[in-house]
Amino acid sequence: MAARLPFSVIGSLNGVHMFGQNLEVQLNSARTEDTTVVWKSFHDSITLIVLSSEEGTSELRLERLLQMVFGAMVLLVGLEELTNISNIERLKKELRASYGLIDSLLGDSELIGDLTQCVDCVVPPEGSLLQEALSGFAEAVGTNFASLIVSGRMVVATESWWRLGTPEAVLLPWLVGSLPPQAARDYPVYLPHGSPTVPHRLLTLTLLPGLELCLLCGPRPPLSQLDPQLLERWWQPMLDPLRACLPLGPRALPVGFPLHTDILGLLLLHLELKRCLFTVEPAGDKDPSPEQRRCILRSFYTLVTAVHFPPEPGQQEDKAEDAAQRPQVPRACYLVSGTEEPGTGWRLVALQLGPRRLLLLLSAQSPVHGLRSLATHTLHALTPLL
């Protein structure tokens, strides 16, 4: 997806988009035999174009990718530089700061927030203790915005951090997870939704390898104020709960959490809180591979979101006439693969109850007639976690 294109192709794609605009025609997407193209303009200043030759790629996925890419540009450069361009060469130089984050969005990540626009989370075994320590530490250093992040996923956060809007709520932990390991950082960032023109400071401190304490603040406190004695006083007593978070990166759920043995992967979304749990680790020794499972669940999410389920909060609602033609709103759907050979392929089921949506990838041994019952039982078991 991230291959370099010839300049002539880029010029042609931009030219046909501009031609349509001059005729008051909005060109959003196009398909060839093997490629999907999506255009998206931002603030009448920046136009992003993405092409994908991956089989089954949808316009929804590519459009959300472009939204995240532009959000990454704003996060690290600021909206003013992108909307009032006085020196294009200087802008190109400044945008280099966002290349690493954008590359991680284009790559095969273990996260899914780029697609769901929900924050990737994990469930720590002793979350209340960590939450209490985090809130106390944030108050001690004078900020309302603090979080613990493991492998780009949120462990716990203060109330103010959870109130961050989209896309920064997704991009900040993604940024931290994409940066090379470092004991401490003082990183200037803009908030694409909350503060796109005035920079803030993102302070990060590594508590354990892969587990970082993050603070979002103004001019104070200086990084030097976060001395080892202060960190030790708050976090040394939490060493065991912190260590218990390290395996949660790919698994998301605590060790020993009861899941049906047929479950190969799951995605749980809380559409109002904009948080999600995503794992393909429940049965790591079975086919398909974790990479294939992630790809399957991402494609299934795109399908059910674009076709089967009602618009998510914050998305454009159906027109009145469209709603009248769809009086019955689906709450569940399933997809079966490999039925020609018994015991091969997999099962996919999606279930929505209230603000929660659950997607399950199941082994071929799972009986089709029991999919909804299994999904309902799993959703009830997961509900207290998210």
Side-chain angles (χ1 to χ4, degrees):
M1 190 187 292
R4 184 180 297 274
L5 293 172
F7 182 78
S8 58
V9 174
I10 298 173
S12 298
L13 291 171
N14 187 48
V16 70
H17 184 260
M18 292 180 63
F19 180 76
Q21 284 183 320
N22 291 335
L23 297 177
E24 298 184 354
V25 174
Q26 184 64 45
L27 178 59
N28 295 319
S29 64
R31 283 185 180 271
T32 67
E33 289 184 357
D34 59 358
T35 304
T36 304
V37 187
V38 171
W39 293 261
K40 193 164 183 64
S41 296
F42 298 89
H43 299 274
D44 295 324
S45 176
I46 298 287
T47 298
L48 298 180
I49 308 170
V50 61
L51 295 84
S52 177
S53 298
E54 292 182 13
E55 185 178 356
T57 297
S58 71
E59 286 87 352
L60 173 70
R61 177 187 173 190
L62 296 180
E63 183 176 339
R64 291 191 175 183
L65 173 62
L66 291 183
Q67 291 171 350
M68 283 295 164
V69 168
F70 183 74
M73 295 163 64
V74 176
L75 185 79
L76 297 173
V77 175
L79 186 61
E80 186 72 22
E81 293 292 332
L82 297 170
T83 55
N84 296 316
I85 303 172
S86 57
N87 187 323
I88 189 66
E89 294 303 320
R90 187 181 70 181
L91 176 61
K92 288 180 183 179
K93 186 175 180 179
E94 291 178 346
L95 281 173
R96 290 174 188 165
S98 65
Y99 286 179
L101 178 55
I102 292 173
D103 283 345
S104 71
L105 291 168
L106 293 172
D108 295 324
S109 174
E110 294 182 356
L111 307 176
I112 200 169
D114 60 313
L115 177 61
T116 64
Q117 299 182 331
C118 296
V119 180
D120 285 276
C121 300
V122 300
V123 181
E126 299 185 72
S128 58
L129 289 177
L130 294 173
Q131 184 71 61
E132 185 178 348
L134 181 69
S135 299
F137 181 81
E139 184 177 353
V141 300
T143 180
N144 293 322
F145 298 88
S147 65
L148 284 176
I149 295 173
V150 61
S151 303
R153 300 165 176 85
M154 197 69 66
V155 180
V156 291
T158 59
E159 290 185 14
S160 295
W161 186 291
W162 281 125
R163 287 198 292 268
L164 290 172
T166 303
E168 54 259 35
V170 174
L171 287 172
L172 285 172
W174 197 298
L175 171 65
V176 173
S178 70
L179 294 172
Q182 200 166 336
R185 304 184 191 90
D186 191 339
Y187 216 82
V189 294
Y190 297 82
L191 304 180
H193 176 77
S195 181
T197 57
V198 179
H200 288 63
R201 294 165 61 229
L202 177 65
L203 306 183
T204 70
L205 298 152
T206 299
L207 300 181
L208 292 171
L211 179 63
E212 301 194 59
L213 170 64
C214 301
L215 306 172
L216 196 61
C217 52
R220 301 187 63 82
L223 188 59
S224 58
Q225 184 179 323
L226 306 178
D227 55 68
Q229 290 78 15
L230 180 65
L231 288 172
E232 185 174 337
R233 185 168 78 247
W234 282 98
W235 297 108
Q236 184 67 32
M238 296 289 108
L239 198 53
D240 287 339
L242 289 172
R243 284 179 177 146
C245 296
L246 296 180
L248 294 177
R251 181 176 172 82
L253 300 172
V255 175
F257 185 85
L259 285 176
H260 196 283
T261 55
D262 286 346
I263 295 176
L264 302 177
L266 69 85
L267 170 61
L268 174 64
L269 302 143
H270 196 299
L271 300 175
E272 292 179 358
L273 297 179
K274 305 294 284 183
R275 305 177 197 176
C276 67
L277 297 173
F278 181 49
T279 179
V280 294
E281 298 292 328
D285 57 340
K286 299 180 182 179
D287 289 332
S289 68
E291 293 76 15
Q292 290 174 311
R293 296 181 194 186
R294 279 191 288 270
C295 182
I296 292 167
L297 276 170
R298 288 176 71 96
S299 297
F300 188 49
Y301 169 83
T302 302
L303 173 67
V304 300
T305 301
V307 177
H308 294 297
F309 287 158
E312 297 172 1
Q315 304 295 325
Q316 185 175 358
E317 297 295 330
D318 288 345
K319 295 179 181 179
E321 58 268 25
D322 294 336
Q325 295 173 5
R326 292 200 317 165
Q328 294 183 346
V329 178
R331 293 303 179 195
C333 63
Y334 68 91
L335 187 152
V336 177
S337 169
T339 53
E340 294 182 3
E341 298 181 30
T344 64
W346 52 80
R347 318 280 191 248
L348 288 157
V349 60
L351 178 69
Q352 182 155 329
L353 290 175
R356 293 177 179 84
R357 180 180 299 171
L358 176 66
L359 282 69
L360 294 179
L361 171 62
L362 303 161
S363 66
Q365 284 70 36
S366 192
V368 175
H369 63 81
L371 293 181
R372 181 160 186 170
S373 175
L374 193 158
T376 302
H377 177 79
T378 304
L379 181 56
H380 287 321
L382 291 169
T383 292
L385 305 182
L386 188 66

